[in-house]
Each structure stands twice: as structure tokens, then as C-alpha cells.
Amino acid sequence: DAKTTQPTSMDCAEGRAANLPCNHSTISGNEYVYWYRQIHSQGPQYIIHGLKNNETNEMASLIITEDRKSSTLILPHATLRDTAVYYCIVRAGYSTLTFGKGTMLLVSP
Amino acid sequence: DAGITQSPRYKITETGRQVTLMCHQTWSHSYMFWYRQDLGHGLRLIYYSAAADITDKGEVPDGYVVSRSKTENFPLTLESATRSQTSVYFCASSESLGHGYTFGSGTRLTVV
């Protein structure tokens, strides 16, 4: 699976959009970009995934660059409950999930 | 209740004892997984199962045994617990490897 690079931590004001970047310059054509988050003391939670088109669901939007070498997870109106570690994972559909260190997002009032 | 449940939520055991962590899912998902989470190492895959009676090793399988006689259950056994197995253990399930995983709430295991 391709390696990903994420900032260690980010801050966001409540109500503002949180934009979490992820670099995956070695991504292969058959690899998807997945995002999970882990709120303190809870199990990881699936957020969204995509191959090359932008994706949106009730939780977030995923923007993948045209060359697929990077992506951004967007939480349109961050709340305090969005404070969590966010993991960007690149993998083919036939491989298991491997978690990196992720980005600690702190949403403040 | 529908979902994925882990038991116990907390467990303290002594070195050398056998302990089994339970995981039950109600969706009939084919795939089930066990991860452990430690400070400094993040989440690491221990074992996973593609279906009943089919299991495979993950990144850190040593010291653990799994079984899957029924689709809905995937117990994880530490045959002789060691202090290094003190960790938070998460179970997950998925329709397939390509689908999103749904994780349980975790079991915090302390080996003294």
C-alpha cells in the first residue's frame, strides 16, 4: 500500500470548515483513499473513501487531486465533537487497513 | 441490538494466564478483524478472518490465537498473557476488504 503523509496536528474554530490534507504521491491506479477518525477512547470510525472522483456524504467531503497524489478531507462546519485523530489510508480493495499516525484535529470554541 | 460488541470492556489479568476477548457482530459481515492500539505504535492488525473457519495473520500475531466457528463471533485468545500484551484491543467487521470497517468500542486489557 502507498505511504501517506499527514500533518501531526491541526486546529480549527468551531463552525468553520476543517480541511485536512494528505499526501500520497506513490499511490497506484487501483488504490483507494480512505479516511477514518478516532475520537478519544473510542474505536475508529469510517468517514469516506474515493478512487479518483470527489466524494461527499453526510459526514464530510473528499477532494482528490487530478494526479491523485494528494487529497483533502473537508468537514464543512466543524463542531467540538469532531475533535479526533483523523487517519488517511491508501490501499487496494483487496488489502487490509493499515493505520498510520494520523492528524490530531482540535476544534475549539 | 444491531452492531458490533466487544466484551469485556475492561480486563485485568495476571502474567501467564489465558484470557479470551469476545467480539460479536449482528450484520453477518464476512470479514472480521482484531487490532491492538498502543502508544507509540498506533493501531496494528493482529488477525483477521474472511469467513467462518478462515483466518489469517496480520502484522503482530505472535502470542494470540483466533477462531471463527460462527460468522458472527471472532474471539481472540491470549494463551499465556504477557505484560507486553497490555493494550486496547479493537474488533472490527466489514462486508469485504474493500468496504469500510465498523469497529467495536474496544477492550482495555491490563496484564500485571
Side-chain angles (χ1 to χ4, degrees), chain A residues 34 36 38 41-46 49 87 91-101, chain B residues 9 33 35 37 40 42-43 45 48 59 90 96-105 108:
Chain A
Y34 286 79
Y36 282 76
Q38 187 173 23
S41 297
Q42 297 182 21
Q45 178 188 23
Y46 165 80
H49 77 280
Y87 299 97
R91 68 171 179 127
Y94 51 79
S95 62
T96 56
L97 275 180
T98 300
F99 289 83
K101 296 186 185 303
Chain B
R9 190 79 170 91
F33 311 84
Y35 285 82
Q37 186 168 33
L43 283 148
L45 181 64
Y48 67 103
E59 183 184 351
F90 289 102
S96 72
L97 284 178
H99 280 79
Y101 296 7
T102 302
F103 284 79
S105 300
R108 184 174 294 274

Side-chain angles (χ1 to χ4, degrees), chain B residues 18-71:
Chain B
Q18 182 181 80
V19 60
T20 296
L21 310 184
M22 305 301 293
C23 180
H24 175 78
Q25 53 105 353
T26 60
W27 297 296
S28 298
H29 283 169
S30 296
Y31 281 83
M32 296 188 75
F33 311 84
W34 275 106
Y35 285 82
R36 62 177 289 176
Q37 186 168 33
D38 309 287
L39 280 175
H41 289 285
L43 283 148
R44 293 179 291 174
L45 181 64
I46 305 171
Y47 269 97
Y48 67 103
S49 168
D53 298 322
I54 300 175
T55 62
D56 210 344
K57 296 179 180 179
E59 183 184 351
V60 289
D62 293 343
Y64 302 95
V65 174
V66 292
S67 62
R68 191 145 177 231
S69 57
K70 293 184 178 181
T71 301

